[in-house]
Amino acid sequence: MESFDSTKRSLYEILKDVNSGKIQLPDFQRGWVWDDNRIKGIIASVAKSFPIGAIMLLETGNENIRFKTKPIEGVVGLNGIKPEMLILDGQQRITSLYQAIITNRVVHTRNSIGYEIKRWYYIDMVRALDPDSDLEEAIFSINENKIITENFGRDVVLDLSTEENEFKNLMYPVNKVDEYDEWRTQFIEYWDYDKDKIKFWNEFEKKIIKGFNGYNLPVIIMKKENPKEAVCQVFEKVNTGGVSLTVFELLTASFASDDFDLKSDWESIKNEFKPYKVLINTSNTDVIQAITLYSTFKKRLDAISLGVSDNIPSVSAKRKDMLNLKLEEYKRYREDLVNGFIKASKILVENHIYNARDLPYSTQLIPMSAILAHLKEKIDNIGNKIKLMRWFWCGVFGELYGSANETRYALDMMQVTDWIENNSIEPKTIYDANFSPSRLNTLRTRNSAAYKGVYALMMDDNPSDWLSATKIDFSTYFSESIDIHHIFPVAWCDKNNIPRNDYDCIINKTPLSGRTNRIVSGDAPSKYLERLKKYAGVSDQEFNNILVSHLLNPDFLYNDDFYGFFYNRKEQILQKIEKAMGKQISREQLLEEEGTFVDNTIEED
């Protein structure tokens, strides 16, 4: 007797069974953790009728397998209903679709930098029907109030707070795809039965709504007769195993048909990257994506130079474009991109990012290397390099490269090169970048790109180590084991009732050697500074100059005035960020992203 059945079921049927409690979870399943970008991604996959993978269910009713159960997150009012099936694999996918489509309630999720947020999901109807637009780009989310603003709330960019505004802006709510009749009727009434709008709706219904309605999922059903050991083993396997094929592996197989060994070539590239510590974590897929970005950019430039005005090739580095990369394109641009990555690493070292651990976004290396591949020796012009780094810091402090970067890659490839070469308008990444002063209070570990960015800027004024009085640069960074350490020590702060949220953030940290940090110990600054000054063998003024090079006011330290120090240093750091971004930061500005910061970080020394 077979231990499982394999079949297909309607997505809606599965979601309705979730809602009724027929399908639930074993209580040992972890919680739902998908963020906003992954939710948008799976909605887009369903909208495009792309496969999202099979789900695995377990029949209930075996007295020997009596798991405690719980409903999918977001399901309410079950009142002890016993499930017929339990989800062993597919919880994240099913929960995301259930919350976005069925509940008719705002979805509680997180953004790419760890903030808990509330989101409604929409489909841009015009973009969804545009044959030249990727349907994935038509899926977007909006805050709980359904209003998007700019200029710190002064300008309304998009208001979907009423159904009339949804109709007016041609934005379709994802939570209506399973019950679209009423929305359709009101939509047509709103447009006064306009023939063009009726035709527009019919096209949207055919392409999108029916795609959702007809979407089927592969389902593997483990029969209830399976022993408990088998169920537990399957659950373990499906939740920890199975790595999907990467673009690199697929291209390796494709290029092999032309007798080209991509894996061997990647080993050669890794050897070229080896002397550059910033590139130590650069992956083969990163290089393929950069080459694809550059290749599509060159195709676009060639078409424009030939006077082509219609169907100009688009710049892109999405998975489908990477898989379409031809061997001759790879060979043609491979060396340029390898040099682009190496040049990027050298420029970052000049800006005090000395290794991969301190690189804010490894993803930003992809467009940066492609931009440098194009600019070549032009980047040696100091004005051009300043522009490039302004773009880089805006990406870092605007925290714009956390996820879902392919569209930004393409824009940056076109806009940054045009801005540098032709002094055109500033790139969208610079325009979009925004930094709130209150963000500094939440930067506690290297998990954050902005944290690493501040760390690098702290070394911009040639600080010296407090003990050795040695300038912290590329050579001493490694020989002196430089790392970031607390200024007011943790032990002293705890003893003096300073909240951890204040003493453990980047404002109370600075780059120091390991030896210096050991002498600091847990004492008050007024005590350990005297010890350090004696060890260093310098005058009072020379030692104060060293402290000032760390963006510190010595008076606050010698007086053990934590909050005098804290607000003074916060202001100095903000000025450094302003200079790097080339943008003014409003001191009254609160975090523009709504939500509550969730601290899942581990305290550093």
Side-chain angles (χ1 to χ4, degrees):
M1 182 184 68
E2 290 188 345
S3 61
F4 66 91
D5 287 328
S6 180
T7 185
K8 283 187 176 182
R9 288 186 63 187
S10 160
L11 171 63
Y12 285 170
E13 181 183 348
I14 292 171
L15 296 181
K16 287 173 181 176
D17 282 354
V18 165
N19 194 55
S20 68
K22 289 182 180 179
I23 295 177
Q24 296 187 34
L25 296 167
D27 192 57
F28 55 75
Q29 279 272 33
R30 63 175 181 163
W32 178 61
V33 295
W34 271 21
D35 63 22
D36 180 52
N37 282 313
R38 295 190 77 177
I39 297 171
K40 287 185 287 191
I42 197 166
I43 293 171
S45 293
V46 173
K48 292 189 285 189
S49 296
F50 281 7
I52 60 172
I55 66 168
M56 183 175 288
L57 305 177
L58 169 67
E59 288 181 342
T60 60
N62 186 338
E63 287 300 314
N64 295 319
I65 308 177
R66 298 177 63 186
F67 294 131
K68 184 179 179 182
T69 64
K70 62 182 180 182
I72 287 275
E73 197 163 324
V75 178
V76 295
L78 292 186
N79 298 322
I81 293 175
K82 292 184 178 181
E84 298 173 2
M85 300 276 185
L86 298 179
I87 298 177
L88 293 183
D89 185 37
Q91 174 199 2
Q92 304 296 324
R93 287 165 284 160
I94 295 302
T95 305
S96 298
L97 292 169
Y98 173 77
Q99 292 210 12
I101 295 173
I102 301 295
T103 65
N104 292 324
R105 296 189 300 273
V106 69
V107 179
H108 294 248
T109 182
R110 294 185 182 185
N111 64 13
S112 61
I113 59 173
Y115 280 75
E116 291 181 339
I117 58 175
K118 298 176 182 178
R119 284 291 181 266
W120 298 99
Y121 293 87
Y122 278 86
I123 304 172
D124 183 330
M125 299 171 73
V126 173
R127 185 171 287 187
L129 296 180
D130 183 357
D132 296 324
S133 179
D134 191 326
L135 183 54
E136 188 167 348
E137 297 172 1
I139 311 296
F140 71 100
S141 67
I142 193 169
N143 58 43
E144 185 178 20
N145 298 323
K146 300 185 179 181
I147 298 175
I148 298 176
T149 60
E150 285 182 348
N151 195 18
F152 307 128
R154 297 188 186 96
D155 303 322
V156 175
V157 177
L158 181 63
D159 183 351
L160 301 179
S161 59
T162 65
E163 281 197 330
E164 288 75 14
N165 284 350
E166 292 173 348
F167 304 149
K168 175 184 175 182
N169 289 285
L170 303 176
M171 300 295 176
Y172 188 82
V174 171
N175 65 356
K176 296 293 184 183
V177 294
D178 62 327
E179 45 184 20
Y180 62 92
D181 286 340
E182 182 179 352
W183 200 91
R184 172 184 58 191
T185 300
Q186 294 175 351
F187 174 83
I188 293 172
E189 288 177 354
Y190 174 85
W191 290 104
D192 199 24
Y193 301 93
D194 179 84
K195 290 183 179 179
D196 289 337
K197 285 298 185 292
I198 292 174
K199 181 181 178 182
F200 175 82
W201 168 264
N202 289 338
E203 291 177 2
F204 181 80
E205 181 178 335
K206 180 180 178 181
K207 180 178 179 181
I208 304 299
I209 301 297
K210 289 188 176 179
F212 276 92
N213 288 342
Y215 194 89
N216 290 310
L217 272 174
V219 178
I220 299 170
I221 301 176
M222 287 194 72
K223 295 181 179 179
K224 61 185 178 183
E225 290 81 9
N226 278 282
K228 190 172 186 177
E229 292 78 10
V231 175
C232 291
Q233 184 176 2
V234 167
F235 177 78
E236 180 181 358
K237 293 294 183 183
V238 299
N239 280 273
T240 61
V243 179
S244 60
L245 285 171
T246 66
V247 165
F248 180 80
E249 289 167 331
L250 292 167
L251 280 180
T252 297
S254 174
F255 289 177
S257 63
D258 292 320
D259 296 322
F260 184 84
D261 190 340
L262 186 58
K263 285 188 177 180
S264 176
D265 194 57
W266 167 238
E267 291 301 317
S268 299
I269 292 173
K270 281 202 298 184
N271 285 331
E272 292 186 66
F273 285 173
K274 193 172 291 184
Y276 307 98
K277 295 181 184 296
V278 172
L279 302 179
I280 195 169
N281 293 331
T282 301
S283 72
N284 46 37
T285 303
D286 293 337
V287 173
I288 295 295
Q289 194 161 29
I291 292 175
T292 302
L293 181 66
Y294 188 54
S295 173
T296 57
F297 175 68
K298 295 289 281 185
K299 285 179 184 177
R300 181 179 179 86
L301 291 185
D302 290 345
I304 292 172
S305 68
L306 293 172
V308 176
S309 57
D310 295 327
N311 298 318
I312 299 174
S314 60
V315 179
S316 181
K318 295 181 180 179
R319 180 181 171 87
K320 65 179 182 180
D321 303 294
M322 295 162 68
L323 290 173
N324 287 331
L325 182 69
K326 293 181 173 58
L327 176 58
E328 56 266 30
E329 294 168 339
Y330 175 86
K331 290 180 175 179
R332 185 183 308 144
Y333 301 121
R334 177 253 199 217
E335 185 176 353
D336 285 345
L337 264 298
V338 169
N339 291 335
F341 274 101
I342 292 172
K343 186 66 174 179
S345 73
K346 291 179 178 178
I347 291 174
L348 293 177
V349 167
E350 292 172 9
N351 287 272
H352 317 291
I353 296 170
Y354 298 131
N355 59 25
R357 184 189 183 206
D358 295 321
L359 178 64
Y361 287 122
S362 61
T363 51
Q364 202 170 359
L365 272 179
I366 293 169
M368 189 176 189
S369 65
I371 290 166
L372 290 169
H374 173 72
L375 293 175
K376 295 183 172 62
E377 67 277 358
K378 290 180 184 177
I379 198 58
D380 296 327
N381 176 293
I382 186 63
N384 292 343
K385 192 176 291 186
I386 288 171
K387 280 185 170 183
L388 180 77
M389 286 311 298
R390 187 179 166 210
W391 159 79
F392 176 83
W393 291 125
C394 282
V396 171
F397 292 110
E399 298 184 283
L400 299 174
Y401 271 91
S403 58
N405 300 307
E406 289 84 358
T407 299
R408 190 169 298 280
Y409 290 165
L411 287 174
D412 283 340
M413 186 71 236
M414 293 184 290
Q415 295 176 353
V416 175
T417 52
D418 193 30
W419 180 49
I420 289 176
E421 291 185 303
N422 304 313
N423 203 31
S424 61
I425 61 171
E426 291 179 351
K428 190 173 187 296
T429 291
I430 292 180
Y431 178 82
D432 287 345
N434 181 37
F435 188 82
S436 167
S438 60
R439 180 68 174 124
L440 286 176
N441 299 63
T442 66
L443 299 178
R444 300 191 186 114
T445 74
R446 285 183 175 84
N447 292 341
S448 164
Y451 179 101
K452 298 177 186 180
V454 173
Y455 184 26
L457 293 185
M458 284 179 179
M459 291 185 277
D460 201 37
D461 289 330
N462 300 316
S464 298
D465 184 63
W466 296 355
L467 176 62
S468 64
T470 304
K471 177 184 172 183
I472 298 173
D473 56 20
F474 181 72
S475 59
T476 57
Y477 182 87
F478 296 103
S479 63
E480 296 288 326
S481 300
I482 301 297
D483 204 346
I484 195 159
H485 297 288
H486 291 86
I487 299 166
F488 278 76
V490 171
W492 183 91
C493 291
D494 285 337
K495 184 178 179 180
N496 288 271
N497 300 315
I498 305 295
R500 178 176 179 266
N501 286 351
D502 291 340
Y503 75 66
D504 205 34
C505 71
I506 191 73
I507 299 168
N508 186 37
K509 296 180 182 180
T510 202
L512 297 169
S513 69
R515 288 188 303 142
T516 300
N517 189 54
R518 286 191 291 274
I519 293 176
V520 166
S521 186
D523 290 336
S526 59
K527 290 187 176 181
Y528 75 66
L529 287 177
E530 290 297 336
R531 287 202 301 271
L532 285 167
K533 188 180 358 178
K534 182 179 178 181
Y535 276 110
V538 295
S539 68
D540 289 353
Q541 186 57 53
E542 288 172 328
F543 193 69
N544 282 350
N545 289 341
I546 291 174
L547 296 178
V548 169
S549 74
H550 286 257
L551 308 180
L552 298 170
N553 184 320
D555 292 339
F556 293 125
L557 298 183
Y558 283 114
N559 290 321
D560 298 331
D561 181 358
F562 179 85
Y563 281 105
F565 142 81
F566 187 85
Y567 293 115
N568 175 269
R569 195 164 196 257
K570 182 176 183 178
E571 174 58 30
Q572 291 195 64
I573 292 172
L574 287 173
Q575 290 177 16
K576 298 289 290 184
I577 295 172
E578 283 181 325
K579 181 180 177 182
M581 296 176 68
K583 301 182 77 169
Q584 188 172 358
I585 298 170
S586 171
R587 297 307 189 266
E588 291 75 34
Q589 180 191 348
L590 297 175
L591 280 169
E592 191 167 299
E593 178 64 83
E594 84 285 357
T596 304
F597 180 73
V598 181
D599 184 11
N600 291 327
T601 60
I602 299 172
E603 182 178 314
E604 294 186 334
D605 293 332

